[in-house]
Amino acid sequence: MGSVRTSILEDLDVYPRTSRRPSTTPSTAKSRFSGSDEFINGKTRWCLVVPDEDVVTASRNPEIERRLNAVRAHRLKSSEKSTREMASVPNRFYFWAHQDVESVIVPATSSERRDYVPIGYLDPSTVISNSANAAYGVEPWTFALLTSRAHMSWVRAVGGKMKTDYRYSGTIIYNNFPVPPLSEAVKEKLTVAALRVLDVREYHCEQTLAELYDPDKMPQDLRDAHAAVDALVDSIYSKKPYETDEQRLSDLFALYERMTAEEAAKAPAKTTRRTAK
């Protein structure tokens, strides 16, 4: 995401003239901006999204013009050639992966004290920063899989650590988490369970996710909602309830090995070229 702070707004009311859809800039938007810290601790931040075709008209707004000029100046001072080259397009974020679809946000780091990494399901208007992981265009049943105890066991087993905190990697953890083919009926059950977790969180909206997922303070109804998700996801991998995370991991790794072996078997065989003597 953005490498320059001047594109980030700390409070929606600080710059009232840069409303979400200014009359002079029909495509320019002030979008909610969320990374790991903002999401977990309930902090509100915003970012300006100015399409290339909108730069001239957007710059008629003095505040937007000031910010674009500040981004340009900041980039020109950089020792990195690629950053200096981006000075000609100050409206663009240096890193941009946002898609205008619903998304799952997974914090890049999370306290090891938590039973679950606080994971969210966001609407298309939220831009996720590079301090968090994002999965775009996924349905709510994916949220259920990722917020389950089975997935948490996977995180602990294959993920990294930052000091003692969990370090989540989309490449290592998310992409390699084994999920068998799911029927539409199972996806529907997962969706209902996922929405229940989100509904309970909303009921406790006066608390941040950091507070809700503190293992010493987690509300009982939220624990119950997660327990329902856990039982449902566990049933995908085993007909019998798990007693330990070690049992979950045993089945997860067995499935992972089977799936990777099947993929390897489907891959076209490599041919070797003979060299003339």
Side-chain angles (χ1 to χ4, degrees):
M1 276 303 305
S3 60
V4 182
R5 187 177 177 82
T6 48
S7 293
I8 309 303
L9 309 180
E10 299 298 331
D11 192 308
L12 183 61
D13 296 325
V14 172
Y15 302 105
R17 294 187 63 187
T18 56
S19 59
R20 180 163 176 75
R21 288 284 183 263
S23 59
T24 57
T25 55
S27 299
T28 296
K30 181 184 291 181
S31 299
R32 186 177 291 275
F33 183 80
S34 184
S36 298
D37 182 44
E38 292 85 0
F39 179 69
I40 293 176
N41 294 301
K43 297 180 180 179
T44 301
R45 301 176 81 197
W46 306 82
C47 66
L48 291 175
V49 180
V50 185
D52 290 347
E53 65 273 14
D54 229 15
V55 173
V56 174
T57 49
S59 296
R60 295 172 185 166
N61 183 301
E63 183 54 39
I64 294 179
E65 181 183 34
R66 183 188 71 79
R67 287 175 174 271
L68 292 179
N69 288 338
V71 171
R72 182 182 296 106
H74 177 89
R75 290 176 174 174
L76 286 172
K77 294 177 182 178
S78 175
S79 59
E80 294 290 334
K81 180 181 178 182
S82 60
T83 302
R84 294 196 301 273
E85 290 174 346
M86 289 290 291
S88 62
V89 282
N91 59 302
R92 297 183 190 175
F93 284 76
Y94 194 95
F95 301 105
W96 183 255
H98 179 72
Q99 299 176 29
D100 288 325
V101 293
E102 292 177 327
S103 61
V104 167
I105 179 173
V106 183
T109 57
S110 180
S111 171
E112 66 171 359
R113 292 185 63 246
R114 298 186 179 114
D115 295 327
Y116 304 92
V117 172
I119 294 171
Y121 194 73
L122 306 178
D123 64 42
S125 66
T126 300
V127 173
I128 300 174
S129 80
N130 62 346
S131 71
N133 299 276
Y136 292 100
V138 297
E139 297 183 51
W141 60 265
T142 302
F143 170 86
L145 291 174
L146 297 181
T147 199
S148 68
R149 191 176 183 93
H151 187 253
M152 278 303 305
S153 299
W154 188 255
V155 170
R156 295 187 184 99
V158 305
K161 287 287 189 76
M162 177 173 285
K163 297 182 179 179
T164 60
D165 292 342
Y166 300 124
R167 180 72 176 173
Y168 197 97
S169 165
T171 303
I172 297 173
I173 300 175
Y174 180 86
N175 289 350
N176 290 309
F177 182 60
V179 180
L182 303 176
S183 67
E184 291 304 314
V186 170
K187 290 179 181 178
E188 178 61 27
K189 290 179 180 178
L190 288 170
T191 297
V192 171
L195 295 179
R196 173 57 181 166
V197 171
L198 295 173
D199 285 344
V200 173
R201 285 186 188 175
E202 185 63 26
Y203 179 76
H204 297 283
C205 61
E206 74 283 356
Q207 295 177 269
T208 66
L209 290 177
E211 295 168 331
L212 288 177
Y213 284 86
D214 183 324
D216 298 327
K217 303 176 182 178
M218 193 173 186
Q220 187 59 48
D221 54 355
L222 184 56
R223 285 189 182 278
D224 293 342
H226 271 284
V229 169
D230 294 342
L232 184 55
V233 174
D234 283 352
S235 70
I236 295 172
Y237 298 95
S238 174
K239 294 181 180 180
K240 296 181 179 180
Y242 292 118
E243 295 181 0
T244 66
D245 285 343
E246 287 72 21
Q247 293 175 344
R248 289 184 177 86
L249 285 173
S250 178
D251 284 350
L252 286 171
F253 278 114
L255 178 59
Y256 174 80
E257 291 176 1
R258 186 163 65 251
M259 293 176 71
T260 52
E262 291 173 355
E263 288 184 8
K266 294 177 182 178
K270 294 183 179 180
T271 58
T272 57
R273 298 178 61 185
R274 293 183 178 180
T275 56
K277 295 183 179 180

